PDB file of all heavy atoms in Angstrom:
ATOM      1  N   GLY X   1       4.837 -34.718   2.496  1.00 98.00           N
ATOM      2  CA  GLY X   1       5.996 -33.950   2.096  1.00 98.00           C
ATOM      3  C   GLY X   1       5.927 -32.507   2.548  1.00 98.00           C
ATOM      4  O   GLY X   1       4.998 -32.090   3.239  1.00 98.00           O
ATOM      5  N   SER X   2       6.923 -31.727   2.127  1.00 98.00           N
ATOM      6  CA  SER X   2       7.035 -30.333   2.536  1.00 98.00           C
ATOM      7  C   SER X   2       7.308 -29.423   1.347  1.00 98.00           C
ATOM      8  O   SER X   2       7.903 -29.838   0.348  1.00 98.00           O
ATOM      9  CB  SER X   2       8.166 -30.161   3.555  1.00 98.00           C
ATOM     10  OG  SER X   2       7.930 -30.896   4.740  1.00 98.00           O
ATOM     11  N   LEU X   3       6.879 -28.188   1.473  1.00 98.00           N
ATOM     12  CA  LEU X   3       7.180 -27.127   0.526  1.00 98.00           C
ATOM     13  C   LEU X   3       7.382 -25.842   1.297  1.00 98.00           C
ATOM     14  O   LEU X   3       6.837 -25.676   2.393  1.00 98.00           O
ATOM     15  CB  LEU X   3       6.055 -26.923  -0.484  1.00 98.00           C
ATOM     16  CG  LEU X   3       5.865 -27.940  -1.602  1.00 98.00           C
ATOM     17  CD1 LEU X   3       4.594 -27.619  -2.381  1.00 98.00           C
ATOM     18  CD2 LEU X   3       7.064 -27.946  -2.536  1.00 98.00           C
ATOM     19  N   ARG X   4       8.156 -24.930   0.729  1.00 98.00           N
ATOM     20  CA  ARG X   4       8.293 -23.604   1.302  1.00 98.00           C
ATOM     21  C   ARG X   4       7.953 -22.567   0.243  1.00 98.00           C
ATOM     22  O   ARG X   4       8.599 -22.507  -0.804  1.00 98.00           O
ATOM     23  CB  ARG X   4       9.705 -23.354   1.844  1.00 98.00           C
ATOM     24  CG  ARG X   4       9.819 -22.037   2.614  1.00 98.00           C
ATOM     25  CD  ARG X   4      11.119 -21.896   3.374  1.00 98.00           C
ATOM     26  NE  ARG X   4      12.267 -21.726   2.493  1.00 98.00           N
ATOM     27  CZ  ARG X   4      13.459 -21.296   2.903  1.00 98.00           C
ATOM     28  NH1 ARG X   4      13.647 -20.995   4.189  1.00 98.00           N
ATOM     29  NH2 ARG X   4      14.454 -21.194   2.037  1.00 98.00           N
ATOM     30  N   LEU X   5       6.941 -21.774   0.520  1.00 98.00           N
ATOM     31  CA  LEU X   5       6.509 -20.730  -0.382  1.00 98.00           C
ATOM     32  C   LEU X   5       7.147 -19.408   0.002  1.00 98.00           C
ATOM     33  O   LEU X   5       7.337 -19.114   1.186  1.00 98.00           O
ATOM     34  CB  LEU X   5       4.986 -20.572  -0.354  1.00 98.00           C
ATOM     35  CG  LEU X   5       4.144 -21.823  -0.602  1.00 98.00           C
ATOM     36  CD1 LEU X   5       2.665 -21.456  -0.603  1.00 98.00           C
ATOM     37  CD2 LEU X   5       4.547 -22.498  -1.901  1.00 98.00           C
ATOM     38  N   SER X   6       7.478 -18.609  -0.990  1.00 98.00           N
ATOM     39  CA  SER X   6       8.032 -17.291  -0.748  1.00 98.00           C
ATOM     40  C   SER X   6       7.204 -16.230  -1.448  1.00 98.00           C
ATOM     41  O   SER X   6       6.580 -16.482  -2.480  1.00 98.00           O
ATOM     42  CB  SER X   6       9.490 -17.202  -1.213  1.00 98.00           C
ATOM     43  OG  SER X   6       9.592 -17.355  -2.618  1.00 98.00           O
ATOM     44  N   CYS X   7       7.201 -15.056  -0.875  1.00 98.00           N
ATOM     45  CA  CYS X   7       6.526 -13.904  -1.449  1.00 98.00           C
ATOM     46  C   CYS X   7       7.506 -12.742  -1.411  1.00 98.00           C
ATOM     47  O   CYS X   7       7.758 -12.177  -0.335  1.00 98.00           O
ATOM     48  CB  CYS X   7       5.255 -13.582  -0.664  1.00 98.00           C
ATOM     49  SG  CYS X   7       4.459 -12.033  -1.132  1.00 98.00           S
ATOM     50  N   ALA X   8       8.060 -12.407  -2.556  1.00 97.00           N
ATOM     51  CA  ALA X   8       9.002 -11.297  -2.658  1.00 97.00           C
ATOM     52  C   ALA X   8       8.236 -10.003  -2.865  1.00 97.00           C
ATOM     53  O   ALA X   8       7.352  -9.929  -3.715  1.00 97.00           O
ATOM     54  CB  ALA X   8       9.973 -11.530  -3.809  1.00 97.00           C
ATOM     55  N   THR X   9       8.579  -8.992  -2.104  1.00 96.00           N
ATOM     56  CA  THR X   9       7.878  -7.713  -2.167  1.00 96.00           C
ATOM     57  C   THR X   9       8.760  -6.652  -2.807  1.00 96.00           C
ATOM     58  O   THR X   9       9.991  -6.709  -2.735  1.00 96.00           O
ATOM     59  CB  THR X   9       7.430  -7.245  -0.784  1.00 96.00           C
ATOM     60  OG1 THR X   9       8.577  -6.944   0.023  1.00 96.00           O
ATOM     61  CG2 THR X   9       6.615  -8.326  -0.096  1.00 96.00           C
ATOM     62  N   SER X  10       8.120  -5.655  -3.401  1.00 93.00           N
ATOM     63  CA  SER X  10       8.843  -4.618  -4.118  1.00 93.00           C
ATOM     64  C   SER X  10       9.368  -3.514  -3.207  1.00 93.00           C
ATOM     65  O   SER X  10      10.056  -2.612  -3.683  1.00 93.00           O
ATOM     66  CB  SER X  10       7.954  -4.011  -5.208  1.00 93.00           C
ATOM     67  OG  SER X  10       6.805  -3.415  -4.644  1.00 93.00           O
ATOM     68  N   ARG X  11       9.055  -3.568  -1.943  1.00 88.00           N
ATOM     69  CA  ARG X  11       9.552  -2.589  -0.991  1.00 88.00           C
ATOM     70  C   ARG X  11       9.686  -3.240   0.373  1.00 88.00           C
ATOM     71  O   ARG X  11       9.266  -4.381   0.574  1.00 88.00           O
ATOM     72  CB  ARG X  11       8.640  -1.364  -0.936  1.00 88.00           C
ATOM     73  CG  ARG X  11       7.283  -1.600  -0.295  1.00 88.00           C
ATOM     74  CD  ARG X  11       6.399  -0.380  -0.443  1.00 88.00           C
ATOM     75  NE  ARG X  11       5.279  -0.412   0.468  1.00 88.00           N
ATOM     76  CZ  ARG X  11       4.260   0.444   0.419  1.00 88.00           C
ATOM     77  NH1 ARG X  11       4.227   1.385  -0.503  1.00 88.00           N
ATOM     78  NH2 ARG X  11       3.274   0.347   1.308  1.00 88.00           N
ATOM     79  N   SER X  12      10.241  -2.505   1.319  1.00 91.00           N
ATOM     80  CA  SER X  12      10.481  -3.027   2.659  1.00 91.00           C
ATOM     81  C   SER X  12       9.192  -3.524   3.300  1.00 91.00           C
ATOM     82  O   SER X  12       8.170  -2.848   3.276  1.00 91.00           O
ATOM     83  CB  SER X  12      11.117  -1.955   3.539  1.00 91.00           C
ATOM     84  OG  SER X  12      11.219  -2.401   4.876  1.00 91.00           O
ATOM     85  N   ILE X  13       9.274  -4.714   3.907  1.00 92.00           N
ATOM     86  CA  ILE X  13       8.083  -5.245   4.570  1.00 92.00           C
ATOM     87  C   ILE X  13       7.794  -4.508   5.868  1.00 92.00           C
ATOM     88  O   ILE X  13       6.732  -4.724   6.462  1.00 92.00           O
ATOM     89  CB  ILE X  13       8.199  -6.760   4.815  1.00 92.00           C
ATOM     90  CG1 ILE X  13       9.388  -7.095   5.711  1.00 92.00           C
ATOM     91  CG2 ILE X  13       8.296  -7.513   3.499  1.00 92.00           C
ATOM     92  CD1 ILE X  13       9.449  -8.564   6.094  1.00 92.00           C
ATOM     93  N   TYR X  14       8.692  -3.657   6.297  1.00 90.00           N
ATOM     94  CA  TYR X  14       8.406  -2.790   7.444  1.00 90.00           C
ATOM     95  C   TYR X  14       7.216  -1.880   7.147  1.00 90.00           C
ATOM     96  O   TYR X  14       6.541  -1.422   8.071  1.00 90.00           O
ATOM     97  CB  TYR X  14       9.611  -1.925   7.795  1.00 90.00           C
ATOM     98  CG  TYR X  14      10.709  -2.614   8.542  1.00 90.00           C
ATOM     99  CD1 TYR X  14      11.944  -2.852   7.952  1.00 90.00           C
ATOM    100  CD2 TYR X  14      10.533  -3.010   9.868  1.00 90.00           C
ATOM    101  CE1 TYR X  14      12.962  -3.477   8.645  1.00 90.00           C
ATOM    102  CE2 TYR X  14      11.548  -3.636  10.569  1.00 90.00           C
ATOM    103  CZ  TYR X  14      12.767  -3.865   9.952  1.00 90.00           C
ATOM    104  OH  TYR X  14      13.781  -4.484  10.650  1.00 90.00           O
ATOM    105  N   THR X  15       6.977  -1.611   5.873  1.00 90.00           N
ATOM    106  CA  THR X  15       5.914  -0.693   5.489  1.00 90.00           C
ATOM    107  C   THR X  15       4.535  -1.346   5.482  1.00 90.00           C
ATOM    108  O   THR X  15       3.533  -0.649   5.341  1.00 90.00           O
ATOM    109  CB  THR X  15       6.183  -0.084   4.110  1.00 90.00           C
ATOM    110  OG1 THR X  15       6.163  -1.103   3.103  1.00 90.00           O
ATOM    111  CG2 THR X  15       7.548   0.605   4.095  1.00 90.00           C
ATOM    112  N   PHE X  16       4.481  -2.673   5.606  1.00 93.00           N
ATOM    113  CA  PHE X  16       3.201  -3.372   5.624  1.00 93.00           C
ATOM    114  C   PHE X  16       2.726  -3.565   7.061  1.00 93.00           C
ATOM    115  O   PHE X  16       3.467  -4.074   7.905  1.00 93.00           O
ATOM    116  CB  PHE X  16       3.306  -4.729   4.931  1.00 93.00           C
ATOM    117  CG  PHE X  16       3.699  -4.640   3.488  1.00 93.00           C
ATOM    118  CD1 PHE X  16       4.859  -5.241   3.030  1.00 93.00           C
ATOM    119  CD2 PHE X  16       2.913  -3.949   2.586  1.00 93.00           C
ATOM    120  CE1 PHE X  16       5.229  -5.164   1.702  1.00 93.00           C
ATOM    121  CE2 PHE X  16       3.266  -3.859   1.246  1.00 93.00           C
ATOM    122  CZ  PHE X  16       4.432  -4.474   0.810  1.00 93.00           C
ATOM    123  N   ASP X  17       1.498  -3.177   7.326  1.00 92.00           N
ATOM    124  CA  ASP X  17       0.937  -3.319   8.663  1.00 92.00           C
ATOM    125  C   ASP X  17       0.549  -4.763   8.976  1.00 92.00           C
ATOM    126  O   ASP X  17       0.508  -5.160  10.144  1.00 92.00           O
ATOM    127  CB  ASP X  17      -0.287  -2.416   8.809  1.00 92.00           C
ATOM    128  CG  ASP X  17       0.051  -0.946   8.624  1.00 92.00           C
ATOM    129  OD1 ASP X  17       0.876  -0.435   9.404  1.00 92.00           O
ATOM    130  OD2 ASP X  17      -0.506  -0.324   7.703  1.00 92.00           O
ATOM    131  N   HIS X  18       0.256  -5.540   7.953  1.00 94.00           N
ATOM    132  CA  HIS X  18      -0.200  -6.906   8.115  1.00 94.00           C
ATOM    133  C   HIS X  18       0.113  -7.685   6.851  1.00 94.00           C
ATOM    134  O   HIS X  18      -0.003  -7.155   5.741  1.00 94.00           O
ATOM    135  CB  HIS X  18      -1.707  -6.920   8.389  1.00 94.00           C
ATOM    136  CG  HIS X  18      -2.230  -8.216   8.907  1.00 94.00           C
ATOM    137  ND1 HIS X  18      -2.629  -9.236   8.066  1.00 94.00           N
ATOM    138  CD2 HIS X  18      -2.427  -8.665  10.168  1.00 94.00           C
ATOM    139  CE1 HIS X  18      -3.045 -10.245   8.787  1.00 94.00           C
ATOM    140  NE2 HIS X  18      -2.937  -9.931  10.065  1.00 94.00           N
ATOM    141  N   MET X  19       0.509  -8.947   6.995  1.00 97.00           N
ATOM    142  CA  MET X  19       0.764  -9.803   5.849  1.00 97.00           C
ATOM    143  C   MET X  19       0.190 -11.188   6.124  1.00 97.00           C
ATOM    144  O   MET X  19       0.056 -11.596   7.281  1.00 97.00           O
ATOM    145  CB  MET X  19       2.259  -9.917   5.542  1.00 97.00           C
ATOM    146  CG  MET X  19       2.938  -8.589   5.249  1.00 97.00           C
ATOM    147  SD  MET X  19       4.652  -8.781   4.688  1.00 97.00           S
ATOM    148  CE  MET X  19       4.373  -9.358   2.999  1.00 97.00           C
ATOM    149  N   GLY X  20      -0.139 -11.898   5.051  1.00 98.00           N
ATOM    150  CA  GLY X  20      -0.699 -13.221   5.241  1.00 98.00           C
ATOM    151  C   GLY X  20      -0.677 -14.064   3.979  1.00 98.00           C
ATOM    152  O   GLY X  20      -0.353 -13.592   2.890  1.00 98.00           O
ATOM    153  N   TRP X  21      -1.000 -15.327   4.178  1.00 98.00           N
ATOM    154  CA  TRP X  21      -1.155 -16.274   3.083  1.00 98.00           C
ATOM    155  C   TRP X  21      -2.598 -16.759   3.034  1.00 98.00           C
ATOM    156  O   TRP X  21      -3.162 -17.141   4.065  1.00 98.00           O
ATOM    157  CB  TRP X  21      -0.229 -17.483   3.245  1.00 98.00           C
ATOM    158  CG  TRP X  21       1.214 -17.191   2.974  1.00 98.00           C
ATOM    159  CD1 TRP X  21       2.177 -16.869   3.880  1.00 98.00           C
ATOM    160  CD2 TRP X  21       1.850 -17.216   1.693  1.00 98.00           C
ATOM    161  NE1 TRP X  21       3.383 -16.689   3.252  1.00 98.00           N
ATOM    162  CE2 TRP X  21       3.211 -16.895   1.908  1.00 98.00           C
ATOM    163  CE3 TRP X  21       1.415 -17.482   0.397  1.00 98.00           C
ATOM    164  CZ2 TRP X  21       4.131 -16.826   0.861  1.00 98.00           C
ATOM    165  CZ3 TRP X  21       2.330 -17.410  -0.644  1.00 98.00           C
ATOM    166  CH2 TRP X  21       3.667 -17.089  -0.396  1.00 98.00           C
ATOM    167  N   TYR X  22      -3.176 -16.738   1.844  1.00 98.00           N
ATOM    168  CA  TYR X  22      -4.506 -17.259   1.588  1.00 98.00           C
ATOM    169  C   TYR X  22      -4.404 -18.392   0.572  1.00 98.00           C
ATOM    170  O   TYR X  22      -3.407 -18.527  -0.126  1.00 98.00           O
ATOM    171  CB  TYR X  22      -5.425 -16.174   1.033  1.00 98.00           C
ATOM    172  CG  TYR X  22      -5.826 -15.106   2.033  1.00 98.00           C
ATOM    173  CD1 TYR X  22      -4.923 -14.149   2.471  1.00 98.00           C
ATOM    174  CD2 TYR X  22      -7.134 -15.051   2.520  1.00 98.00           C
ATOM    175  CE1 TYR X  22      -5.292 -13.167   3.373  1.00 98.00           C
ATOM    176  CE2 TYR X  22      -7.517 -14.070   3.419  1.00 98.00           C
ATOM    177  CZ  TYR X  22      -6.587 -13.130   3.842  1.00 98.00           C
ATOM    178  OH  TYR X  22      -6.975 -12.156   4.736  1.00 98.00           O
ATOM    179  N   ARG X  23      -5.447 -19.198   0.484  1.00 98.00           N
ATOM    180  CA  ARG X  23      -5.494 -20.227  -0.538  1.00 98.00           C
ATOM    181  C   ARG X  23      -6.908 -20.392  -1.050  1.00 98.00           C
ATOM    182  O   ARG X  23      -7.878 -20.095  -0.365  1.00 98.00           O
ATOM    183  CB  ARG X  23      -4.955 -21.565  -0.011  1.00 98.00           C
ATOM    184  CG  ARG X  23      -5.819 -22.233   1.056  1.00 98.00           C
ATOM    185  CD  ARG X  23      -5.115 -23.477   1.593  1.00 98.00           C
ATOM    186  NE  ARG X  23      -5.926 -24.162   2.593  1.00 98.00           N
ATOM    187  CZ  ARG X  23      -5.488 -25.184   3.325  1.00 98.00           C
ATOM    188  NH1 ARG X  23      -4.245 -25.630   3.166  1.00 98.00           N
ATOM    189  NH2 ARG X  23      -6.291 -25.765   4.217  1.00 98.00           N
ATOM    190  N   GLN X  24      -7.004 -20.884  -2.281  1.00 98.00           N
ATOM    191  CA  GLN X  24      -8.299 -21.121  -2.894  1.00 98.00           C
ATOM    192  C   GLN X  24      -8.242 -22.397  -3.717  1.00 98.00           C
ATOM    193  O   GLN X  24      -7.432 -22.512  -4.642  1.00 98.00           O
ATOM    194  CB  GLN X  24      -8.723 -19.944  -3.772  1.00 98.00           C
ATOM    195  CG  GLN X  24     -10.138 -20.060  -4.315  1.00 98.00           C
ATOM    196  CD  GLN X  24     -10.636 -18.773  -4.930  1.00 98.00           C
ATOM    197  OE1 GLN X  24      -9.840 -17.940  -5.367  1.00 98.00           O
ATOM    198  NE2 GLN X  24     -11.942 -18.596  -4.957  1.00 98.00           N
ATOM    199  N   ALA X  25      -9.095 -23.339  -3.372  1.00 97.00           N
ATOM    200  CA  ALA X  25      -9.219 -24.591  -4.107  1.00 97.00           C
ATOM    201  C   ALA X  25     -10.404 -24.499  -5.058  1.00 97.00           C
ATOM    202  O   ALA X  25     -11.322 -23.702  -4.841  1.00 97.00           O
ATOM    203  CB  ALA X  25      -9.401 -25.758  -3.139  1.00 97.00           C
ATOM    204  N   PRO X  26     -10.420 -25.303  -6.124  1.00 92.00           N
ATOM    205  CA  PRO X  26     -11.547 -25.275  -7.059  1.00 92.00           C
ATOM    206  C   PRO X  26     -12.879 -25.500  -6.357  1.00 92.00           C
ATOM    207  O   PRO X  26     -13.022 -26.427  -5.557  1.00 92.00           O
ATOM    208  CB  PRO X  26     -11.229 -26.416  -8.021  1.00 92.00           C
ATOM    209  CG  PRO X  26      -9.741 -26.527  -7.980  1.00 92.00           C
ATOM    210  CD  PRO X  26      -9.375 -26.245  -6.551  1.00 92.00           C
ATOM    211  N   GLY X  27     -13.848 -24.645  -6.644  1.00 94.00           N
ATOM    212  CA  GLY X  27     -15.160 -24.772  -6.049  1.00 94.00           C
ATOM    213  C   GLY X  27     -15.283 -24.249  -4.638  1.00 94.00           C
ATOM    214  O   GLY X  27     -16.360 -24.362  -4.034  1.00 94.00           O
ATOM    215  N   LYS X  28     -14.212 -23.675  -4.101  1.00 96.00           N
ATOM    216  CA  LYS X  28     -14.237 -23.156  -2.744  1.00 96.00           C
ATOM    217  C   LYS X  28     -13.862 -21.679  -2.729  1.00 96.00           C
ATOM    218  O   LYS X  28     -13.218 -21.173  -3.644  1.00 96.00           O
ATOM    219  CB  LYS X  28     -13.282 -23.938  -1.846  1.00 96.00           C
ATOM    220  CG  LYS X  28     -13.635 -25.404  -1.665  1.00 96.00           C
ATOM    221  CD  LYS X  28     -12.681 -26.078  -0.702  1.00 96.00           C
ATOM    222  CE  LYS X  28     -13.049 -27.531  -0.476  1.00 96.00           C
ATOM    223  NZ  LYS X  28     -12.111 -28.194   0.465  1.00 96.00           N
ATOM    224  N   GLU X  29     -14.272 -21.002  -1.674  1.00 97.00           N
ATOM    225  CA  GLU X  29     -13.917 -19.606  -1.501  1.00 97.00           C
ATOM    226  C   GLU X  29     -12.486 -19.477  -0.990  1.00 97.00           C
ATOM    227  O   GLU X  29     -11.947 -20.391  -0.366  1.00 97.00           O
ATOM    228  CB  GLU X  29     -14.880 -18.921  -0.530  1.00 97.00           C
ATOM    229  CG  GLU X  29     -16.315 -18.852  -1.019  1.00 97.00           C
ATOM    230  CD  GLU X  29     -17.219 -18.079  -0.079  1.00 97.00           C
ATOM    231  OE1 GLU X  29     -16.763 -17.726   1.028  1.00 97.00           O
ATOM    232  OE2 GLU X  29     -18.368 -17.819  -0.450  1.00 97.00           O
ATOM    233  N   ARG X  30     -11.888 -18.335  -1.267  1.00 97.00           N
ATOM    234  CA  ARG X  30     -10.558 -18.071  -0.761  1.00 97.00           C
ATOM    235  C   ARG X  30     -10.594 -18.006   0.765  1.00 97.00           C
ATOM    236  O   ARG X  30     -11.466 -17.364   1.350  1.00 97.00           O
ATOM    237  CB  ARG X  30     -10.015 -16.767  -1.345  1.00 97.00           C
ATOM    238  CG  ARG X  30      -8.568 -16.478  -0.994  1.00 97.00           C
ATOM    239  CD  ARG X  30      -8.053 -15.236  -1.712  1.00 97.00           C
ATOM    240  NE  ARG X  30      -8.085 -15.398  -3.165  1.00 97.00           N
ATOM    241  CZ  ARG X  30      -7.577 -14.523  -4.015  1.00 97.00           C
ATOM    242  NH1 ARG X  30      -6.980 -13.426  -3.575  1.00 97.00           N
ATOM    243  NH2 ARG X  30      -7.665 -14.743  -5.324  1.00 97.00           N
ATOM    244  N   GLU X  31      -9.635 -18.671   1.403  1.00 97.00           N
ATOM    245  CA  GLU X  31      -9.607 -18.721   2.849  1.00 97.00           C
ATOM    246  C   GLU X  31      -8.240 -18.308   3.379  1.00 97.00           C
ATOM    247  O   GLU X  31      -7.211 -18.520   2.742  1.00 97.00           O
ATOM    248  CB  GLU X  31      -9.945 -20.125   3.358  1.00 97.00           C
ATOM    249  CG  GLU X  31      -8.938 -21.188   2.962  1.00 97.00           C
ATOM    250  CD  GLU X  31      -9.220 -22.547   3.579  1.00 97.00           C
ATOM    251  OE1 GLU X  31     -10.013 -22.620   4.531  1.00 97.00           O
ATOM    252  OE2 GLU X  31      -8.644 -23.545   3.091  1.00 97.00           O
ATOM    253  N   LEU X  32      -8.249 -17.731   4.557  1.00 98.00           N
ATOM    254  CA  LEU X  32      -7.013 -17.345   5.224  1.00 98.00           C
ATOM    255  C   LEU X  32      -6.325 -18.578   5.786  1.00 98.00           C
ATOM    256  O   LEU X  32      -6.940 -19.369   6.499  1.00 98.00           O
ATOM    257  CB  LEU X  32      -7.302 -16.348   6.339  1.00 98.00           C
ATOM    258  CG  LEU X  32      -6.109 -15.907   7.195  1.00 98.00           C
ATOM    259  CD1 LEU X  32      -5.109 -15.127   6.361  1.00 98.00           C
ATOM    260  CD2 LEU X  32      -6.591 -15.069   8.379  1.00 98.00           C
ATOM    261  N   VAL X  33      -5.051 -18.736   5.477  1.00 98.00           N
ATOM    262  CA  VAL X  33      -4.252 -19.843   5.974  1.00 98.00           C
ATOM    263  C   VAL X  33      -3.443 -19.425   7.193  1.00 98.00           C
ATOM    264  O   VAL X  33      -3.431 -20.112   8.217  1.00 98.00           O
ATOM    265  CB  VAL X  33      -3.308 -20.379   4.883  1.00 98.00           C
ATOM    266  CG1 VAL X  33      -2.400 -21.468   5.434  1.00 98.00           C
ATOM    267  CG2 VAL X  33      -4.123 -20.908   3.700  1.00 98.00           C
ATOM    268  N   ALA X  34      -2.744 -18.304   7.076  1.00 98.00           N
ATOM    269  CA  ALA X  34      -1.893 -17.820   8.152  1.00 98.00           C
ATOM    270  C   ALA X  34      -1.684 -16.332   7.980  1.00 98.00           C
ATOM    271  O   ALA X  34      -1.658 -15.829   6.861  1.00 98.00           O
ATOM    272  CB  ALA X  34      -0.539 -18.541   8.158  1.00 98.00           C
ATOM    273  N   ASP X  35      -1.539 -15.627   9.085  1.00 97.00           N
ATOM    274  CA  ASP X  35      -1.231 -14.208   9.002  1.00 97.00           C
ATOM    275  C   ASP X  35      -0.228 -13.821  10.076  1.00 97.00           C
ATOM    276  O   ASP X  35      -0.007 -14.557  11.042  1.00 97.00           O
ATOM    277  CB  ASP X  35      -2.490 -13.332   9.064  1.00 97.00           C
ATOM    278  CG  ASP X  35      -3.327 -13.527  10.324  1.00 97.00           C
ATOM    279  OD1 ASP X  35      -2.814 -14.067  11.325  1.00 97.00           O
ATOM    280  OD2 ASP X  35      -4.504 -13.124  10.303  1.00 97.00           O
TER     281      ASP X  35
END
């Protein structure tokens, strides 16, 4: 199946130099998914 995640920011995303999605499963370290 499919899902779409959103991240709403409190200010313009033009002000962010870099953005990304991370994930963490039980017993595992947080890992970078996409940036």
Side-chain angles (χ1 to χ4, degrees):
S2 298
L3 286 173
R4 188 169 69 165
L5 306 183
S6 65
C7 172
T9 66
S10 61
R11 70 187 197 189
S12 174
I13 61 174
Y14 282 112
T15 64
F16 299 119
D17 299 300
H18 195 273
M19 301 187 75
W21 287 95
Y22 289 72
R23 68 185 181 188
Q24 187 168 24
K28 296 183 178 180
E29 296 184 352
R30 186 175 298 187
E31 64 175 345
L32 176 65
V33 176
D35 58 18

